[in-house]
């Protein structure tokens, strides 16, 4: 079945450091891929998405490229800020699976000044 | 435009008690979902409603029931709460599948503690 495997945390970085959070997926069809962010005490918010191979999603300085050959969708940011501290979830939506969402376990990021 | 709203925000129950979690969306979305979030487990789908009048089981439906009251509202009911149902519950909605419109929008969550 469909699944998402996400880099385990927690991750602690200094401000302005480079961020990578790894995400790989397994899907029966051609899924859409997402990164969601959850700030403390809040619900999940869409950060970025990509709907087909080689698409790059980007938002707020974060980027992720849909790599079909490696079944990956790694999240990157060149220079993190304290305000980026949150939990990040990789997810996929597979139309062949009734458009259900499958989430990774989440990666907690703490950015220190 | 409130998006997805959930009530209550926090609830404490005793084992065996029942309660209903309410969810409403004002984005005219066709599909709605209920998830639970547990430490180290990510989000797991409990039930979903692809469109008004339909509901289907997700990954962890046992102990729960749902009602799609109308296009806006989707409630989750615990008939006899158990400590294993202590969790944070999120409601989400999305437009109908297809055309890259599958983004789900989440409510702020309901924290449930079952003693």
């Amino acid at each position: 079945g469909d699944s998402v495997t996400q880099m385990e945390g927690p991750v602690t970085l200094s401000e302005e450091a480079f961020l990578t959070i790894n995400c790989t997926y397994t899907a029966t069809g051609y899924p859409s891929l997402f990164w969601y962010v959850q700030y403390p005490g809040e619900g999940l918010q869409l950060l970025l998405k990509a709907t087909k191979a080689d698409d790059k999603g980007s938002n707020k300085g974060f980027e992720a490229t849909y790599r079909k050959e490696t079944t990956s969708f790694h999240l990157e940011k060149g220079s993190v800020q304290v305000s980026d501290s949150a939990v990040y979830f990789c997810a996929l939506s597979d139309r062949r699976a009734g458009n259900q969402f499958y989430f990774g376990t989440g990666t907690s990021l703490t950015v220190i000044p | 435009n409130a998006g997805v709203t959930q009530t209550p925000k926090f609830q404490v129950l005793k084992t065996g008690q029942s309660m209903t979690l309410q969810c409403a969306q004002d984005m005219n979305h066709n599909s709605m979902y209920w998830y639970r979030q547990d430490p180290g487990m990510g989000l797991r789908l409990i039930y979903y409603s692809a469109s008004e009048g339909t509901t289907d089981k997700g990954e962890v439906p046992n102990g729960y029931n749902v009602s799609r009251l109308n296009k806006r509202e989707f409630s989750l009911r615990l008939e006899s709460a158990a400590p294993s149902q202590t969790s944070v519950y999120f409601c989400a909605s999305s437009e109908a599948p297809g055309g890259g419109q599958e983004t789900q929008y989440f409510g702020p969550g309901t924290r449930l503690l079952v003693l």
Side-chain angles (χ1 to χ4, degrees), chain A residues 2 17 30 38 40 44 47 58 64 93 102 113:
Chain A
D2 292 7
Y30 298 94
Q38 184 180 32
L44 279 71
L47 181 59
S58 61
S93 171
Y102 296 87

Side-chain angles (χ1 to χ4, degrees), chain A residues 32 34 36 38 40-46 49 51 87 89 93 95 97-106, chain B residues 33 35 37 40-43 45 48 57-58 90 94-95 97-108 111:
Chain A
S32 296
F34 304 80
Y36 280 84
Q38 184 180 32
E42 298 184 11
L44 279 71
Q45 303 174 23
L46 178 67
K49 71 177 185 180
T51 57
V87 181
F89 291 91
S93 171
R95 296 174 196 175
N99 201 38
Q100 287 191 39
F101 264 56
Y102 296 87
F103 286 87
T105 54
Chain B
Y33 311 81
Y35 293 90
Q37 183 182 30
M41 303 288 288
L43 276 75
L45 183 65
Y48 67 101
K57 295 179 180 179
F90 288 100
S94 68
E95 298 182 37
Q101 300 297 317
E102 307 94 336
T103 301
Q104 292 194 5
Y105 297 86
F106 284 80
R111 293 184 176 275

Side-chain angles (χ1 to χ4, degrees), chain B residues 30-70:
Chain B
N30 288 297
S31 302
M32 298 185 74
Y33 311 81
W34 276 105
Y35 293 90
R36 59 179 289 172
Q37 183 182 30
D38 302 293
M41 303 288 288
L43 276 75
R44 292 182 293 170
L45 183 65
I46 304 171
Y47 270 94
Y48 67 101
S49 171
S51 61
E52 187 179 356
T54 68
T55 60
D56 288 285
K57 295 179 180 179
E59 181 183 356
V60 288
N62 291 344
Y64 305 94
N65 285 300
V66 291
S67 295
R68 183 74 183 267
L69 304 171
N70 47 55

